[in-house]
């Protein structure tokens, strides 16, 4: 039945993967600095902010402000996000499809397990390759201007971790339902 707890977990997993498209995956900002290695109290303050999204948006990329002059470099110059988009969309789509497979629980378990693996692949791509590539480029730009930049994972990454947990809970609930049905069939 569709009103089971695993359906609730799967709906939340789909919502978490949808939030990955709305919030940044990586956010970088200046810890303090100024242009050309001058002290932070210099007349030419530098502000650097970088945001990497799954899809290219108006505020995606690296924006620098030096002495009132702003420059924005788009995200496309730094990192290709199409592997992230494909894996996030596939994980969310599989979780959505698996909601309606309640009649065949074993097939639902397999689809949820595959969505779990796709979600792990998404996190692997974020943690291993994309984060390093984006932060390396932002850090190189900041060091050229004498700034120290700190980058951290943002909501777009942590929502995928939440989705992974929800997929695990859904699969566990589906297996528990299947065990109950098999036990009831044995009693007949």
């Amino acid at each position: 039945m569709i009103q089971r707890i695993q359906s609730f977990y799967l709906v939340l997993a789909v919502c978490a993967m949808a939030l990955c498209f709305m919030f940044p995956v990586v956010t970088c900002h200046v810890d303090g600095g100024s242009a050309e290695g001058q002290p932070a109290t210099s007349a030419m303050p530098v502000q650097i902010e970088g945001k990497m999204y799954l899809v290219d948006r108006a505020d995606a990329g690296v924006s620098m402000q030096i002495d009132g002059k702003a420059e924005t470099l788009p995200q496309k110059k730094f990192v290709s996000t199409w592997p992230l988009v494909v894996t996030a969309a596939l994980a969310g789509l599989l979780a959505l499809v698996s909601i309606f497979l309640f009649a065949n629980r074993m097939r639902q378990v397999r689809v949820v397990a595959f969505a779990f693996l796709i979600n792990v692949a998404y996190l692997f791509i974020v943690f291993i390759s994309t984060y390093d590539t984006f932060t390396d480029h932002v850090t190189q730009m900041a060091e050229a201007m004498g700034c120290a930049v700190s980058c951290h994972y943002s909501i777009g990454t942590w929502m995928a971790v939440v989705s992974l947990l929800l997929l695990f809970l859904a699969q566990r609930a589906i297996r528990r339902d299947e065990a109950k049905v098999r036990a009831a069939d044995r009693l007949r």
Side-chain angles (χ1 to χ4, degrees):
M1 290 184 280
I2 204 161
Q3 70 265 22
R4 305 296 287 180
I5 188 71
Q6 60 263 24
S7 298
F8 179 68
Y9 290 144
L10 291 169
V11 166
L12 289 178
V14 170
C15 291
M17 288 311 290
L19 287 175
C20 290
F21 285 94
M22 296 176 201
F23 291 101
V25 177
V26 179
T27 304
C28 301
H29 63 278
V30 143
D31 283 340
S34 60
E36 299 168 12
Q38 299 169 355
T41 59
S42 163
M44 288 181 38
V46 175
Q47 293 177 344
I48 298 177
E49 185 178 13
K51 290 184 181 178
M52 188 191 81
Y53 289 87
L54 289 183
V55 290
D56 207 14
R57 297 172 35 153
D59 57 341
V62 180
S63 60
M64 297 179 293
Q65 200 170 33
I66 304 172
D67 197 24
K69 298 176 186 172
E71 180 182 347
T72 302
L73 298 171
Q75 169 179 302
K76 289 181 182 177
K77 289 190 174 187
F78 300 108
V79 64
S80 173
T81 57
W82 71 265
L84 289 175
V85 171
V86 169
T87 55
L90 191 58
L93 184 65
L94 285 172
L96 182 66
V97 166
S98 68
I99 294 170
F100 301 104
L101 295 176
F102 58 87
N104 188 344
R105 280 179 292 282
M106 292 316 291
R107 181 177 294 153
Q108 191 179 26
V109 164
R110 281 180 282 190
V111 171
V112 170
F114 191 61
F116 185 87
L117 290 175
I118 297 294
N119 205 334
V120 168
Y122 170 82
L123 289 171
F124 180 78
I125 293 170
V126 168
F127 287 133
I128 300 302
S129 110
T130 307
Y131 177 80
D132 290 339
T133 305
F134 187 76
T135 57
D136 285 347
H137 288 299
V138 174
T139 305
Q140 285 175 1
M141 290 173 54
E143 286 176 354
M145 291 181 232
C147 300
V149 173
S150 69
C151 296
H152 60 322
Y153 298 109
S154 193
I155 297 171
T157 302
W158 300 119
M159 282 295 113
V161 174
V162 168
S163 174
L164 195 68
L165 175 67
L166 291 167
L167 288 172
F168 172 75
L169 292 173
Q171 186 173 20
R172 206 173 86 181
I174 296 166
R175 287 185 187 273
R176 206 172 340 156
D177 274 358
E178 182 65 20
K180 285 180 188 176
V181 168
R182 288 187 186 207
D185 286 345
R186 263 184 278 145
L187 290 175
R188 287 183 197 170

